[in-house]
Amino acid sequence: MASDATAAAPRVTPAVLSARKGGTPIVCLTAYTYPIARLLDPHVDLLLVGDSVAMVLHGHKTTLGATMDMMILHGQAVMRGSRHACVVLDMPAGSYEESPAIALSSAQRLIDETGCDAVKLEGGVDVETQIAAIVSAGIPVMGHIGLQPQSVEKDGGYKIKGSTDAATASLLADAEAVERAGAFSMVVEGTMEPVAAEITRRAAIPTIGIGASAACDGQILVIDDAIGLTVDRVPKFVKEYARLRDIVAEAAARYAAEVHARRFPGPEHVFQPKGTKES
């Protein structure tokens, strides 16, 4: 149960985060479950229910495995565990690209069925009208430019962006489009450091970096990467602040050994009839 102080504190809003441009860096992490949301909520400004959940929790090879139902299910869990942070839900691939009307319908469904504070979608110039339609309806939008995981198959893999003058110009145009459409912030992912820094200098809205630049207005990591629970390849841009996969594996090994040796459960873990003395 939340403390009185936590319960009384207002939730961080997209408008509050937008006003942080150029100020104290914005702290963001992904969250997909109730207990993780509870643990992270006091320490972050923003919790992103990312479509990375398809890979991290469901074992898909890419984020294309995420669906609206999946995002709503995990969004509801995170909202139950969060009291302080701004909660943003990713719009999964296929839910917004076709038209502004479809984008708005999908965004409205995410908001209505989870109570989240904002939605996020990938793209720049190509989704400017979609972002504008959603924002015009009163739903805050976080943009996402640079490396776009939903486009990884089309791009032929995870390729760092901004390595040529033409690619840099395209990124700057994307950033301008996202801002022009009314987004309150934008993720800049997998982008050459000088380019990400330049985008941040030019943009009037906060940039949230991941594999980008320390100059960004905030940073985000996938929580399983940050705490060392990732069981597959750990990206270059990740810093592991713990190695929980080792702790989990060791705990499972100890549990298995105690079960095999009949040391678990012990007397303190079982129930005896009243009046029975524990040995």
Side-chain angles (χ1 to χ4, degrees):
M1 190 173 190
S3 67
D4 291 341
T6 302
R11 185 182 289 276
V12 177
T13 65
V16 166
L17 294 177
S18 187
R20 293 263 294 270
K21 174 68 183 180
T24 304
I26 299 167
V27 180
C28 314
L29 284 167
T30 67
Y32 316 113
T33 64
Y34 170 81
I36 289 294
R38 284 285 301 270
L39 293 170
L40 301 185
D41 193 59
H43 306 289
V44 302
D45 302 303
L46 185 149
L47 288 172
L48 173 66
V49 186
D51 57 2
S52 48
V53 67
M55 302 172 69
V56 175
L57 294 190
H58 294 275
H60 290 275
K61 294 297 184 183
T62 71
T63 63
L64 296 177
T67 64
M68 285 287 287
D69 288 344
M70 184 186 293
M71 299 310 303
I72 288 167
L73 182 69
H74 290 284
Q76 290 169 340
V78 169
M79 286 299 295
R80 292 185 195 108
S82 170
R83 298 291 182 272
H84 159 74
C86 180
V87 177
V88 180
L89 258 67
D90 262 339
M91 299 186 69
S95 69
Y96 60 90
E97 299 91 336
E98 187 173 340
S99 71
I102 289 175
L104 175 56
S105 176
S106 297
Q108 192 67 62
R109 183 183 171 202
L110 292 176
I111 294 288
D112 290 346
E113 296 191 32
T114 69
C116 68
D117 301 292
V119 298
K120 180 172 78 65
L121 68 161
E122 297 181 6
V125 173
D126 56 329
V127 295
E128 181 176 354
T129 57
Q130 284 90 329
I131 294 173
I134 298 169
V135 172
S136 294
I139 299 173
V141 174
M142 171 181 272
H144 184 143
I145 66 171
L147 192 158
Q148 298 168 36
Q150 292 177 8
S151 300
V152 67
E153 291 184 357
K154 180 177 66 178
D155 290 349
Y158 293 94
K159 297 180 179 179
I160 302 304
K161 305 300 181 179
S163 57
T164 66
D165 289 345
T168 297
S170 179
L171 282 170
L172 291 171
D174 281 342
E176 291 170 1
V178 168
E179 181 179 334
R180 187 166 54 240
F184 74 90
S185 64
M186 71 179 97
V187 170
V188 181
E189 180 172 359
T191 298
M192 291 291 183
E193 196 281 333
V195 179
E198 179 64 16
I199 291 169
T200 300
R201 282 191 291 270
R202 293 193 185 195
I205 59 175
T207 58
I208 308 298
I210 177 167
S213 172
C216 290
D217 298 295
Q219 300 294 329
I220 188 165
L221 284 175
V222 169
I223 183 59
D224 293 62
D225 289 345
I227 62 177
L229 268 179
T230 301
V231 295
D232 297 317
R233 184 182 68 86
V234 178
K236 169 185 170 60
F237 56 76
V238 169
K239 179 176 180 178
E240 293 188 328
Y241 289 85
R243 288 183 60 88
L244 294 193
R245 60 179 164 270
D246 296 341
I247 295 173
V248 171
E250 180 187 358
R254 289 173 54 203
Y255 168 72
E258 291 194 5
V259 170
H260 288 152
R262 299 190 184 278
R263 293 197 303 272
F264 179 83
E268 68 274 28
H269 305 120
V270 296
F271 303 94
Q272 300 287 358
K274 289 183 179 181
T276 302
K277 292 184 177 180
E278 294 183 359
S279 58

